[in-house]
Amino acid sequence: MQCSIDTYDFAGKKAIVRVDFNVPLNEKFEITDDTRIRAAIPTLKKVLEKGGALIIMSHLGRPKGVTEKFSLKHIIGRVSELLGVEVKFAADCQKAQAEVAELKPGEALLLENLRFYAEEEGKPRGLAEDATDQEKKDAKAAVKESQKEFVKTLASYADCYINDAFGTAHRAHASTALIAKYFPNDKMFGYLMEGEIKAIDNVLKNAQHPFTAVIGGSKVSSKLAVLENMLERVDNLIIGGGMGYTFIKAQGGQIGNSLHEDDLMPNALEILKKAKEKGVKIYISSDTLVCDKFAADANTMVVPSNAIPEEWEGVDAGPESLATWKEVLLNSKTILWNGPVGVFEIPTFAKGTLQIAQNLADATEKGAYTLVGGGDSVAAVTQMGYAKKVSYVSTGGGAMLEALEGKTLPGIAAVME
Ligand code: AMP
């Protein structure tokens, strides 16, 4: 049974909270972006305010064992500052019994990086390169077995479990999913998770129509499942960025040097066919900004997207496409945006992506629900200063992508079950 952080009685209880404190550090181990820590603070504060004690757990980076560089001790100062209490530290997440026993209401303890143990992910480490299939199988079985104890130890620290780590919700790891079964009546989502789940539901379950999805980015292959899931739900599908050229080439267009995937052309044609059957309108750029080299000082021109000269490469949507897309977006009641529609990292090629951000901001002002979900579009909207002008900006790249593919995320299912 799933509980709610707002109604749960934390007084005198210890809450073990999975957060995503996987923040970037520089070579001096200083945090260069604390967004992920800030995102979990409302949940952590709530537990303390209600008289609970916090056992905070997270991973940092991809260590293959105990590694100084990936120690969470580097972030204690910042977490303490943002939380407003002196956070204690347990230098081994599996040997924190003494620190946990001393923890009093209103206090917080941060456990060392969960991924210092292979059991967190449940994947074997240190296998010889020439390991046989049987050795690999045995190693996997061994880590799955020792994972049970690992989970049990973490669970033994607390009276209740909160998952507020959306960034790892698509992983069935010890701390993100397996631990939940130890708290059948005392498990819940934190505010960040609740916000993300609501945002996903707003587009996948409760969308107001017209519903438009803008799917961009580099490759069709990485977004195929999202495109297919969207076909079942949207009225309009705008396909932008590098992936658009696979669709254009598949229909016989000349795309010059533009990014494309020949092996995905049959899938592209299938999507176009399905869209027609379902009455979903597909918008692929009719004109394209092309360049003669992949750099800010390149020569550029606008050409029809299906007549790109040889040696030229499509890097952004052209003005005609952007005008069409603008009209579609401003007439939409729900918009999902995943993936930039051009090489936005280079300012000369960022106009299209900037305009999509502007269109989403304008549509939001007109009352539409707008969700920006997934890696680079989130970076674009934040970098361009539009994050506060849309309804929701997701914090989880891979997790959001899998949710948009229609998959059930293990971290969400474990708490809801
Ligand atoms: P993804 O990770 O699949 O969402 O793709 C994001 C990347 O796609 C960004 O780094 C963009 O620069 C890149 N991208 C967008 N449009 C194009 C394009 N026309 N050609 C090459 N790369 C592109």
Side-chain angles (χ1 to χ4, degrees):
M1 190 194 68
Q2 182 193 339
C3 308
S4 150
I5 188 168
D6 283 323
T7 52
Y8 192 83
D9 181 12
F10 289 101
K13 292 196 180 135
K14 288 175 180 148
I16 191 158
V17 192
R18 177 49 154 111
V19 293
D20 179 6
F21 282 176
N22 183 26
V23 288
L25 302 176
N26 63 18
E27 61 288 347
K28 287 193 215 142
F29 303 125
E30 292 160 344
I31 300 168
T32 54
D33 179 355
D34 65 3
T35 310
R36 286 180 171 158
I37 301 178
R38 287 178 184 278
I41 294 295
T43 295
L44 300 177
K45 278 198 167 156
K46 190 73 181 179
V47 174
L48 297 182
E49 271 164 28
K50 291 177 98 179
L54 286 170
I55 299 152
I56 307 167
M57 55 178 176
S58 177
H59 75 285
L60 176 66
R62 294 184 172 165
K64 295 278 170 275
V66 178
T67 323
E68 165 78 8
K69 189 173 141 194
F70 296 117
S71 173
L72 281 170
K73 73 179 180 209
H74 304 306
I75 72 163
I76 307 171
R78 192 82 191 106
V79 179
S80 300
E81 200 179 308
L82 290 169
L83 194 55
V85 301
E86 203 60 47
V87 175
K88 297 166 197 273
F89 186 63
D92 184 334
C93 72
Q94 287 289 285
K95 296 195 181 105
Q97 291 81 359
E99 289 94 334
V100 167
E102 281 175 16
L103 208 58
K104 298 190 185 59
E107 292 186 342
L109 172 72
L110 175 65
L111 302 183
E112 179 58 289
N113 196 343
L114 296 162
R115 289 196 189 166
F116 281 1
Y117 284 86
E119 284 78 6
E120 164 62 1
E121 294 175 276
K123 280 195 237 148
R125 284 185 185 154
L127 265 174
E129 271 190 26
D130 57 354
T132 62
D133 284 352
Q134 188 58 45
E135 282 166 343
K136 283 184 195 159
K137 220 171 136 192
D138 291 347
K140 197 168 173 196
V143 77
K144 286 283 173 201
E145 191 52 38
S146 55
Q147 189 181 46
K148 291 179 190 159
E149 271 312 303
F150 179 87
V151 179
K152 210 165 152 189
T153 301
L154 292 176
S156 72
Y157 297 154
D159 304 297
C160 61
Y161 168 66
I162 303 175
N163 189 345
D164 209 20
F166 182 69
T168 46
H170 56 317
R171 306 286 182 222
H173 292 167
S175 66
T176 61
L178 306 183
I179 192 173
K181 75 164 191 284
Y182 284 92
F183 302 95
N185 300 309
D186 302 273
K187 54 182 180 176
M188 62 210 99
F189 295 125
Y191 291 127
L192 174 67
M193 271 289 241
E194 274 182 5
E196 297 278 355
I197 294 168
K198 203 163 148 216
I200 293 166
D201 284 352
N202 279 344
V203 295
L204 294 189
K205 292 192 184 147
N206 314 316
Q208 304 284 306
H209 292 263
F211 175 13
T212 302
V214 184
I215 310 294
S218 52
K219 290 180 176 175
V220 179
S221 51
S222 59
K223 303 277 168 81
L224 191 59
V226 176
L227 290 171
E228 282 170 351
N229 192 31
M230 285 306 130
L231 275 187
E232 306 294 324
R233 297 163 201 282
V234 300
D235 304 288
N236 308 301
L237 183 56
I238 296 175
I239 301 175
M243 56 197 282
Y245 303 106
T246 298
F247 283 82
I248 293 164
K249 187 171 178 196
Q251 295 175 92
Q254 303 295 315
I255 59 163
N257 257 348
S258 308
L259 192 71
H260 65 283
E261 293 165 290
D262 283 337
D263 53 334
L264 267 295
M265 290 203 297
N267 304 74
L269 291 176
E270 185 61 28
I271 285 174
L272 295 175
K273 185 170 152 243
K274 261 197 212 155
K276 210 170 196 176
E277 285 163 12
K278 289 182 181 297
V280 174
K281 288 208 183 100
I282 301 263
Y283 295 88
I284 299 171
S285 67
S286 54
D287 58 347
T288 289
L289 180 82
V290 294
C291 65
D292 59 354
K293 64 176 178 182
F294 213 75
D297 62 346
N299 292 307
T300 61
M301 60 183 177
V302 173
V303 297
S305 298
N306 60 3
I308 299 178
E310 271 180 43
E311 310 300 325
W312 290 74
E313 180 172 357
V315 281
D316 199 5
E320 186 184 88
S321 316
L322 292 175
T324 309
W325 295 355
K326 178 179 176 181
E327 203 184 323
V328 174
L329 290 169
L330 291 186
N331 284 311
S332 299
K333 290 259 175 9
T334 306
I335 304 172
L336 162 72
W337 180 22
N338 178 291
V341 299
V343 184
F344 77 102
E345 297 93 336
I346 299 176
T348 334
F349 312 147
K351 204 169 164 195
T353 301
L354 185 63
Q355 196 205 279
I356 298 285
Q358 179 69 56
N359 295 160
L360 258 72
D362 293 343
T364 314
E365 211 176 306
K366 276 180 66 187
Y369 180 81
T370 53
L371 166 63
V372 183
D376 273 326
S377 36
V378 170
V381 92
T382 308
Q383 186 182 310
M384 290 165 173
Y386 285 92
K388 291 213 157 52
K389 297 181 179 168
V390 296
S391 307
Y392 195 81
V393 180
S394 174
T395 58
M400 181 49 85
L401 203 64
E402 289 200 17
L404 297 177
E405 288 172 358
K407 288 188 188 151
T408 305
L409 307 186
I412 294 178
V415 169
M416 283 184 158
E417 269 161 20

